[in-house]
Structure formats: structure tokens, C-alpha cells
Amino acid sequence: MPEAAGEINAIWGVSTEVIGLWLAALLTLAIYSFLYGDNPVYKLAEHIFVGISAAYGAGIVYHQVLIPELINPLFRPALAGQDVPKYSLIIPGLLGLMVLGRFLRGHEWISRWPIAFVMGLGAGLSIPRSMQSLVLLQMHGTMQPVWPLVTAEGWVGVDNILMIAGVICTLAYFYFSLPHRGVMGGMSRVGIWFLMIGFGAGFGNTVMARISLLIGRIQFLIYDWLPTIGIHLGGPGVG
Amino acid sequence: MRLQIPIAIGFLAGFFMLVQFFVPHQFFQQSYLELFDWVKIIGAFALVLGLGSLFRTHIDKIRNRRPDHIYSFVTLISFAVMFVFGIVYGVKPHTSFDWLFKNVQTPLEATVFSLLAFFMASAAYRTFRARSVEATLLLTVAVIVMLGRVPISDYVSFVDFHEASEWIMSVPGMAAKRGILLGVALGVVATALRILLGIERSHLGGGGGGSS
């Protein structure tokens, strides 16, 4: 396989794979050093992260949006598989340049045109889309048969009753045009219980997602990095 | 005019998107795809705006010799190295850009987010107190969901934490989520209508010019 542009396989006789492994391990440890307290090593890793992430976004946007969607179709049509330049792209190109008007002191208003255009498109699209996906589909998912209460698959009817009651009570909690007293007060209280269950489940899931990332980093350090310095603690890939 | 023209542009763009959703004609479908590409192009320029703000912050910090300004050099140099590799060699697999992404950005990102596990645990320990029915409910559900995600729950015979966790997520948890989503949808529609009709103008703010 031919070597990709800019690919270097070794630096001073050390494979780039090993250098990458060490770099990743040292940066991982640098970030974890924050658990002891804020320190220069952590700050260094943190600032590298900001710079690299911003450049990653810029590089991807340049190669995957600007070149194939604007530069090639407009200035190098042959590369975009066209016979003639796509002149309609002058409009988004100009609107894009107008965004940079924010940098011109006293002429910041120029950026309002592209912002209004993008916001208008988003607003126009979000009305039918959110009605479709967040209202109608959610209502359809909620209004499921409640009878029979128990089927071969389990307590499906009971679950559906619970779902309908939960959605109505949660909505009652967010309905402020009526005082939360009497029946409305009771419904809103039950709504809070459902919300607490929802938040608890969300919290539990979020914690476990972070724990899973933590396990991934620890596994990387133990099974990928430590063997490079001759320490084998067993586990996957190690005899 | 500096305000009226953007409001008119927003209205026309939004009205077009609203209409195209209901009209399955080829013209509207193609225009929709074309406009989608336009938004991506404008978004690319907006990224330059964000980068400009990042540079301004760090260059100001260096120029004024503020505390820790040395780290601003680190950010600018990291940016320059990654960006130059990306522009010169491309962003495809097995390039220097890809190498930096795999060995610097990915581990840093995963580690920073995994660090939150410690802070969430510490914050939960310090603030969670089962003082009311609601707080107890939240805590209990969180514990059940967490136990349902770890293998140790397989060794508990009196309750199936995995099944309990799945049930919580798909019935009462989903009911709460749907209640919130229905409220969000109504909020989205109301805000979108305000933007289209020019009542909501905060996104056009800044830059002076007023309504003149």
C-alpha cells in the first residue's frame, strides 16, 4: 500500500505508533493530575487540547465543506464533475464573507444578513419538524392500547396506563395557567415524581457513561502503555 | 434599513422552508438540498469568526502579559501545528493530521470527559441527601440505573437490576421525557414564529445601526 501524504513511520528510529502511545499516555496522566489539584502540567495539556480541537474543526471544515462545496464547484468545476462553474454558490460565498463583518468595527451590522438568513431557515424548518417529531410522534408513542392489562409479553397494558398518566401529570406540572390546587395540585405532584424518576435515570446514565470512559482510559494505560515499559498486568491481549 | 432587510430575509427564508415541507414538488426538494449546502458554507465562515475570537482572547492575554499567558502560546502553537498539517497533507486516514487526532485529541477528549466521573461522584456525595420523597426517588432510581449497567448486579439474586433499569428508562422515565419534549416542541414553535415575524430580534443584536 502506498504511503499516505505526510505519513512518517518512524522518528529517530522510534516507530510513530510507539511515540503516539507515549504521547497519549502522558497527556492522559497530565489531565488526571488535576485530581491532585490545578497544576502546570494539567494547564499545558488543557491548552494543547483547546488548540488541537479548534484546528481539527478548521481542517475538517476546510477539506469537507469549503473545498468540495464552494471552491471546487465555483472555481474548479472540472474537479467537481461539472462543465461550468456553479454561479449560484456566489450567494452563500458572499453571505459567508458578510459573517466576517463582525470583525469590522462600525460595520458589524453587515453580519446580520447571513445570521438572519440562517436563523430564518432554521426557524422555518423547525416548525413542521418539531410538530412532527416532538409532538405527533410522541403522542402516537404515548397513546398505545391499555387493554388487555397483561399479555404474553408482560404487563403491557399497565405500562401503557402508567405512560399516559405520567405524560399527562408531567404536562400538568408545567401548566401554569391554573393554580396547582385540588386535582391539578395532585396531578402536578405526581408529575414531579415522574420528573424525579426521569432525572434520576438521566443522572445514573450520565455517571455510567463517564465511568465507562474512565475504564477505557485506565485500560489504555494498563494494557497498551505499561507493556511498552515492560510492565504486564495481564488482561486482554496479554498472556 | 439595517434591521428591516435582515428581518425580511429571515421571513422569506423561513417561509420558504415552511412551504417546501408541505410541497413535494421537485423544485422545492432540490432547493431545500441546495439551501442546506448554503447553510454549511455560511457555517464554515462562522467557524472563522469563532477562531478569530479564540485568537483575540489569547493574543490579548499574551500582549498584556496576564497570569498564565505562557499557556496561550501553547494553544496558538498547537493550533498552528494541527492546522498546517491539515491544510498541507489533508485530513484523510494515515496522515499527520489523523495521527495527531488519534494520539492527542481523542485521548485528551476521552480523559477530560472521564474526569467528570470523579467530580460527579464527589458532588453527589456532598449534596445528595434523601430529605424528601422527591430526592429519595431520584437517588433510588439513579442507584438502580447505575447497578443495572454493571456486571456485579448479575450476582444479586433477589432483584434483576438490569430489567428494572430498562423498565424505568422505558416507562416512567420515558413518560417524564415525553412530557418535557411536548413542552419543548411548543416552545420551539413559539420561538420560531417570533423569529419569522420579526418579533424576536436578539440574534440580530450588536453592531449598532438600530432601526435606521
Side-chain angles (χ1 to χ4, degrees), chain A residues 141-204:
Chain A
T142 305
M143 292 186 279
Q144 295 297 315
V146 294
W147 194 262
L149 288 177
V150 183
T151 66
E153 290 164 27
W155 297 63
V156 179
V158 177
D159 283 351
N160 289 339
I161 290 174
L162 210 57
M163 175 72 81
I164 293 167
V167 173
I168 293 172
C169 290
T170 306
L171 285 173
Y173 172 70
F174 288 114
Y175 189 72
F176 301 112
S177 299
L178 277 177
H180 287 190
R181 285 195 301 264
V183 177
M184 193 66 180
M187 282 168 69
S188 117
R189 184 145 177 84
V190 176
I192 297 175
W193 294 344
F194 272 94
L195 280 170
M196 288 301 131
I197 293 173
F199 293 149
F203 177 78

Coordinates of all heavy atoms in Angstrom, one line a residue, chain A residues 141-204:
Chain A
G141 N -46.7 7.6 20.3 CA -46.0 6.6 21.1 C -46.6 6.5 22.5 O -46.6 5.4 23.1
T142 N -47.3 7.6 22.9 CA -47.9 7.5 24.3 C -49.3 6.8 24.3 O -49.6 6.1 25.2 CB -48.1 9.0 24.8 OG1 -46.8 9.6 24.7 CG2 -48.6 9.0 26.2
M143 N -50.1 7.1 23.2 CA -51.4 6.6 23.2 C -51.5 5.2 22.6 O -51.9 5.0 21.5 CB -52.3 7.5 22.4 CG -52.5 8.9 23.1 SD -53.6 10.0 22.3 CE -52.7 10.7 21.0
Q144 N -51.0 4.2 23.4 CA -51.0 2.8 23.0 C -52.1 2.1 23.7 O -52.6 2.6 24.7 CB -49.6 2.2 23.4 CG -48.4 2.8 22.6 CD -48.5 2.5 21.1 OE1 -48.8 1.4 20.7 NE2 -48.3 3.6 20.3
P145 N -52.5 0.9 23.2 CA -53.7 0.2 23.8 C -53.4 -0.1 25.3 O -52.3 -0.5 25.6 CB -53.8 -1.1 23.0 CG -53.0 -0.8 21.7 CD -52.0 0.2 22.0
V146 N -54.4 0.1 26.1 CA -54.3 -0.2 27.5 C -55.0 -1.5 27.9 O -54.9 -1.9 29.1 CB -54.8 1.0 28.4 CG1 -54.0 2.2 28.2 CG2 -56.3 1.2 28.1
W147 N -55.6 -2.1 27.0 CA -56.3 -3.4 27.2 C -55.9 -4.4 26.2 O -55.8 -4.1 25.1 CB -57.8 -3.2 27.2 CG -58.6 -4.3 27.8 CD1 -59.2 -5.4 27.1 CD2 -58.8 -4.6 29.2 NE1 -59.7 -6.2 28.0 CE2 -59.5 -5.8 29.3 CE3 -58.4 -3.9 30.4 CZ2 -59.9 -6.3 30.5 CZ3 -58.8 -4.4 31.6 CH2 -59.6 -5.6 31.6
P148 N -55.6 -5.7 26.6 CA -55.7 -6.2 28.0 C -54.5 -5.7 28.8 O -53.4 -5.4 28.3 CB -55.5 -7.7 27.7 CG -54.8 -7.8 26.4 CD -55.3 -6.7 25.6
L149 N -54.7 -5.7 30.1 CA -53.7 -5.2 31.0 C -52.4 -6.1 31.0 O -51.3 -5.6 31.0 CB -54.2 -5.2 32.4 CG -55.3 -4.1 32.8 CD1 -55.8 -4.3 34.2 CD2 -54.8 -2.7 32.6
V150 N -52.6 -7.4 30.9 CA -51.5 -8.3 30.9 C -51.5 -9.1 29.6 O -52.6 -9.7 29.2 CB -51.5 -9.2 32.1 CG1 -50.3 -10.1 32.1 CG2 -51.6 -8.4 33.4
T151 N -50.4 -9.2 28.9 CA -50.4 -10.0 27.7 C -49.2 -11.0 27.8 O -48.6 -11.1 28.9 CB -50.1 -9.2 26.4 OG1 -48.7 -8.6 26.6 CG2 -51.1 -8.1 26.2
A152 N -49.0 -11.8 26.8 CA -47.9 -12.8 26.9 C -46.6 -12.1 27.0 O -45.6 -12.7 27.5 CB -47.9 -13.7 25.6
E153 N -46.5 -10.8 26.6 CA -45.2 -10.1 26.6 C -45.0 -9.5 28.0 O -44.0 -8.8 28.2 CB -45.2 -9.0 25.6 CG -45.0 -9.6 24.2 CD -45.4 -8.6 23.1 OE1 -45.2 -7.4 23.3 OE2 -45.8 -9.0 22.0
G154 N -46.0 -9.5 28.9 CA -45.9 -8.9 30.2 C -47.0 -7.9 30.5 O -48.1 -8.0 29.9
W155 N -46.7 -7.0 31.4 CA -47.8 -6.1 31.9 C -47.8 -4.9 30.9 O -47.7 -3.7 31.3 CB -47.5 -5.6 33.3 CG -47.5 -6.7 34.3 CD1 -46.7 -7.8 34.4 CD2 -48.4 -6.8 35.4 NE1 -47.0 -8.6 35.4 CE2 -48.1 -8.0 36.1 CE3 -49.5 -6.1 35.8 CZ2 -48.8 -8.5 37.2 CZ3 -50.2 -6.5 37.0 CH2 -49.8 -7.7 37.6
V156 N -48.1 -5.1 29.6 CA -48.0 -4.1 28.6 C -49.1 -3.0 28.9 O -48.8 -1.8 28.8 CB -48.2 -4.7 27.2 CG1 -48.1 -3.6 26.2 CG2 -47.0 -5.7 27.0
G157 N -50.3 -3.5 29.2 CA -51.5 -2.5 29.4 C -51.2 -1.6 30.6 O -51.4 -0.4 30.5
V158 N -50.7 -2.2 31.7 CA -50.4 -1.5 32.9 C -49.3 -0.4 32.6 O -49.4 0.7 33.0 CB -50.0 -2.4 34.0 CG1 -49.6 -1.6 35.3 CG2 -51.1 -3.4 34.3
D159 N -48.3 -0.9 31.9 CA -47.2 0.1 31.5 C -47.8 1.2 30.7 O -47.4 2.4 30.9 CB -46.1 -0.7 30.7 CG -45.3 -1.5 31.6 OD1 -45.4 -1.4 32.8 OD2 -44.5 -2.3 31.0
N160 N -48.7 0.9 29.7 CA -49.2 2.0 28.9 C -50.1 3.0 29.7 O -50.1 4.2 29.4 CB -50.0 1.4 27.7 CG -49.1 0.7 26.7 OD1 -47.9 1.0 26.7 ND2 -49.7 -0.2 25.9
I161 N -50.8 2.4 30.7 CA -51.6 3.3 31.5 C -50.7 4.3 32.3 O -50.9 5.5 32.4 CB -52.5 2.5 32.5 CG1 -53.6 1.8 31.8 CG2 -53.1 3.4 33.6 CD1 -54.4 0.8 32.6
L162 N -49.6 3.7 32.8 CA -48.6 4.4 33.6 C -48.0 5.5 32.7 O -47.7 6.6 33.1 CB -47.5 3.4 34.1 CG -46.8 3.8 35.4 CD1 -47.8 4.0 36.5 CD2 -45.8 2.7 35.7
M163 N -47.7 5.1 31.4 CA -47.1 6.1 30.5 C -48.1 7.3 30.2 O -47.6 8.4 30.3 CB -46.8 5.4 29.2 CG -46.3 6.2 28.1 SD -44.6 6.7 28.3 CE -43.8 5.3 27.8
I164 N -49.3 7.0 30.0 CA -50.3 8.1 29.7 C -50.4 9.0 30.9 O -50.4 10.2 30.8 CB -51.7 7.5 29.3 CG1 -51.6 6.7 28.0 CG2 -52.7 8.6 29.2 CD1 -52.7 5.9 27.6
A165 N -50.6 8.3 32.1 CA -50.7 9.1 33.4 C -49.5 9.9 33.6 O -49.6 11.1 34.0 CB -50.9 8.1 34.5
G166 N -48.3 9.3 33.3 CA -47.0 10.1 33.5 C -46.9 11.3 32.7 O -46.5 12.4 33.1
V167 N -47.3 11.1 31.4 CA -47.1 12.3 30.4 C -48.1 13.4 30.8 O -47.7 14.5 30.9 CB -47.4 11.8 29.0 CG1 -47.4 13.0 28.0 CG2 -46.3 10.8 28.5
I168 N -49.4 13.0 31.1 CA -50.4 14.0 31.5 C -50.0 14.7 32.8 O -50.1 15.9 32.9 CB -51.8 13.3 31.6 CG1 -52.2 12.9 30.2 CG2 -52.8 14.3 32.2 CD1 -53.5 12.0 30.2
C169 N -49.5 14.0 33.8 CA -49.1 14.6 35.1 C -47.9 15.5 34.9 O -47.8 16.5 35.5 CB -48.9 13.5 36.1 SG -50.4 12.7 36.6
T170 N -47.0 15.0 34.1 CA -45.8 15.9 33.8 C -46.2 17.2 33.1 O -45.7 18.3 33.5 CB -44.7 15.1 32.9 OG1 -44.4 13.9 33.5 CG2 -43.4 15.9 32.8
L171 N -47.1 17.1 32.2 CA -47.6 18.3 31.5 C -48.3 19.2 32.5 O -48.2 20.4 32.4 CB -48.5 17.9 30.3 CG -47.7 17.4 29.1 CD1 -48.7 16.9 28.0 CD2 -46.9 18.5 28.4
A172 N -49.1 18.5 33.4 CA -49.8 19.3 34.4 C -48.9 20.1 35.3 O -49.1 21.3 35.6 CB -50.7 18.4 35.3
Y173 N -47.7 19.6 35.6 CA -46.7 20.3 36.4 C -46.2 21.6 35.7 O -46.0 22.6 36.3 CB -45.5 19.4 36.7 CG -44.4 20.1 37.4 CD1 -44.6 20.6 38.7 CD2 -43.2 20.4 36.7 CE1 -43.6 21.3 39.3 CE2 -42.2 21.1 37.3 CZ -42.4 21.6 38.6 OH -41.4 22.3 39.3
F174 N -46.1 21.5 34.3 CA -45.6 22.6 33.6 C -46.7 23.6 33.1 O -46.5 24.5 32.4 CB -44.8 22.1 32.3 CG -43.5 21.5 32.6 CD1 -43.3 20.2 32.4 CD2 -42.5 22.3 33.2 CE1 -42.1 19.6 32.7 CE2 -41.3 21.7 33.5 CZ -41.1 20.4 33.3
Y175 N -48.0 23.3 33.5 CA -49.1 24.1 33.1 C -49.4 25.1 34.2 O -49.8 24.8 35.3 CB -50.3 23.2 32.9 CG -51.5 24.0 32.2 CD1 -51.4 24.4 30.9 CD2 -52.6 24.3 33.0 CE1 -52.5 25.0 30.3 CE2 -53.7 25.0 32.4 CZ -53.6 25.4 31.1 OH -54.6 26.0 30.5
F176 N -49.0 26.4 33.9 CA -49.1 27.4 35.0 C -50.3 28.3 34.9 O -50.5 29.3 35.6 CB -47.8 28.2 35.0 CG -46.6 27.4 35.2 CD1 -45.7 27.2 34.2 CD2 -46.4 26.8 36.4 CE1 -44.6 26.5 34.4 CE2 -45.3 26.0 36.6 CZ -44.3 25.9 35.6
S177 N -51.2 28.0 33.9 CA -52.4 28.9 33.7 C -53.5 28.6 34.8 O -54.5 29.3 34.9 CB -53.0 28.8 32.3 OG -52.0 29.2 31.4
L178 N -53.4 27.5 35.5 CA -54.3 27.1 36.5 C -53.5 27.0 37.8 O -52.4 26.5 37.8 CB -55.0 25.8 36.2 CG -56.2 25.8 35.3 CD1 -56.7 24.3 35.1 CD2 -57.3 26.6 35.9
P179 N -54.1 27.4 39.0 CA -53.4 27.2 40.2 C -53.2 25.7 40.5 O -54.1 24.9 40.3 CB -54.3 27.9 41.3 CG -55.6 28.0 40.6 CD -55.4 28.1 39.2
H180 N -52.1 25.4 41.1 CA -51.8 23.9 41.4 C -52.4 23.6 42.7 O -51.8 23.4 43.7 CB -50.3 23.7 41.4 CG -49.7 23.7 40.0 ND1 -48.4 23.3 39.7 CD2 -50.2 24.0 38.8 CE1 -48.2 23.4 38.4 NE2 -49.3 23.9 37.9
R181 N -53.8 23.5 42.7 CA -54.6 23.1 43.9 C -55.5 22.0 43.5 O -55.9 21.9 42.4 CB -55.3 24.3 44.5 CG -54.5 25.4 45.2 CD -55.3 26.3 46.0 NE -56.3 27.0 45.1 CZ -56.1 28.3 44.7 NH1 -55.0 28.9 44.9 NH2 -57.0 28.9 43.9
G182 N -56.0 21.3 44.5 CA -57.0 20.2 44.3 C -56.5 19.2 43.3 O -55.4 18.7 43.5
V183 N -57.4 18.8 42.3 CA -57.0 17.8 41.4 C -55.7 18.1 40.6 O -54.8 17.3 40.5 CB -58.1 17.5 40.3 CG1 -57.7 16.5 39.3 CG2 -59.4 17.1 41.1
M184 N -55.6 19.4 40.2 CA -54.5 19.9 39.5 C -53.2 19.8 40.3 O -52.1 19.5 39.9 CB -54.7 21.4 39.1 CG -53.8 21.9 38.0 SD -54.0 21.1 36.5 CE -52.7 21.9 35.6
G185 N -53.4 20.1 41.6 CA -52.2 20.1 42.6 C -51.7 18.6 42.7 O -50.5 18.4 42.7
G186 N -52.7 17.7 42.8 CA -52.3 16.3 42.9 C -51.6 15.8 41.7 O -50.6 15.1 41.8
M187 N -52.2 16.2 40.5 CA -51.6 15.7 39.3 C -50.1 16.3 39.1 O -49.2 15.6 38.7 CB -52.4 16.2 38.1 CG -53.6 15.3 37.8 SD -54.8 16.0 36.7 CE -53.9 15.9 35.2
S188 N -50.0 17.6 39.5 CA -48.7 18.2 39.4 C -47.7 17.5 40.3 O -46.5 17.4 40.0 CB -48.8 19.7 39.6 OG -48.1 20.2 40.6
R189 N -48.2 17.1 41.5 CA -47.3 16.4 42.5 C -46.8 15.1 41.9 O -45.6 14.8 42.0 CB -48.0 16.2 43.8 CG -47.1 15.6 44.9 CD -47.5 16.2 46.2 NE -46.6 15.6 47.3 CZ -45.4 15.9 47.6 NH1 -44.9 16.9 46.9 NH2 -44.7 15.3 48.5
V190 N -47.7 14.4 41.3 CA -47.4 13.1 40.7 C -46.4 13.4 39.5 O -45.5 12.6 39.3 CB -48.6 12.3 40.2 CG1 -48.3 11.1 39.4 CG2 -49.5 12.0 41.4
G191 N -46.7 14.5 38.8 CA -45.8 14.9 37.7 C -44.4 15.1 38.2 O -43.4 14.7 37.5
I192 N -44.2 15.7 39.4 CA -42.9 15.9 39.9 C -42.2 14.5 40.2 O -41.0 14.3 39.9 CB -42.9 16.7 41.2 CG1 -43.5 18.1 41.0 CG2 -41.6 16.8 41.9 CD1 -43.7 18.9 42.2
W193 N -43.0 13.6 40.7 CA -42.4 12.2 41.0 C -41.9 11.6 39.7 O -40.8 11.1 39.6 CB -43.4 11.3 41.6 CG -43.9 11.7 43.0 CD1 -43.2 12.6 43.8 CD2 -45.0 11.3 43.7 NE1 -43.9 12.8 45.0 CE2 -45.0 12.0 44.9 CE3 -46.1 10.4 43.4 CZ2 -46.0 11.8 45.9 CZ3 -47.0 10.2 44.4 CH2 -47.0 10.9 45.6
F194 N -42.7 11.7 38.6 CA -42.2 11.2 37.3 C -41.0 11.9 36.8 O -40.1 11.3 36.3 CB -43.4 11.3 36.3 CG -44.3 10.2 36.2 CD1 -45.5 10.2 37.0 CD2 -44.0 9.0 35.5 CE1 -46.3 9.1 37.0 CE2 -44.8 7.9 35.5 CZ -46.0 7.9 36.3
L195 N -41.0 13.3 37.0 CA -39.8 14.0 36.6 C -38.5 13.6 37.4 O -37.5 13.5 36.8 CB -40.0 15.5 36.8 CG -40.9 16.2 35.8 CD1 -41.2 17.6 36.2 CD2 -40.1 16.3 34.4
M196 N -38.7 13.3 38.7 CA -37.6 12.9 39.5 C -37.1 11.5 39.1 O -35.9 11.3 39.0 CB -38.0 12.8 41.0 CG -38.2 14.1 41.7 SD -36.7 15.1 41.6 CE -37.3 16.6 41.0
I197 N -38.0 10.7 38.7 CA -37.6 9.4 38.1 C -36.8 9.6 36.8 O -35.7 9.0 36.6 CB -38.8 8.4 37.9 CG1 -39.5 8.1 39.2 CG2 -38.4 7.2 37.1 CD1 -40.8 7.3 39.1
G198 N -37.3 10.5 36.0 CA -36.6 10.8 34.7 C -35.3 11.3 35.0 O -34.3 10.9 34.3
F199 N -35.2 12.3 35.9 CA -33.9 12.9 36.2 C -32.9 11.9 36.8 O -31.7 11.9 36.5 CB -34.0 14.1 37.1 CG -34.8 15.3 36.5 CD1 -35.5 16.1 37.2 CD2 -34.7 15.5 35.1 CE1 -36.2 17.2 36.7 CE2 -35.4 16.6 34.5 CZ -36.1 17.4 35.3
G200 N -33.4 11.1 37.7 CA -32.6 10.1 38.4 C -32.0 9.1 37.3 O -30.8 8.8 37.4
A201 N -32.9 8.7 36.4 CA -32.4 7.8 35.3 C -31.4 8.5 34.5 O -30.3 7.9 34.1 CB -33.6 7.3 34.5
G202 N -31.6 9.8 34.1 CA -30.6 10.5 33.3 C -29.3 10.7 34.1 O -28.2 10.5 33.5
F203 N -29.4 10.9 35.4 CA -28.2 11.1 36.2 C -27.4 9.8 36.2 O -26.2 9.8 36.0 CB -28.5 11.5 37.6 CG -27.3 11.7 38.5 CD1 -26.5 12.8 38.4 CD2 -27.1 10.7 39.4 CE1 -25.4 12.9 39.2 CE2 -26.0 10.8 40.2 CZ -25.1 11.9 40.2
G204 N -28.1 8.7 36.5 CA -27.5 7.4 36.5 C -26.8 7.0 35.2 O -25.6 6.6 35.2

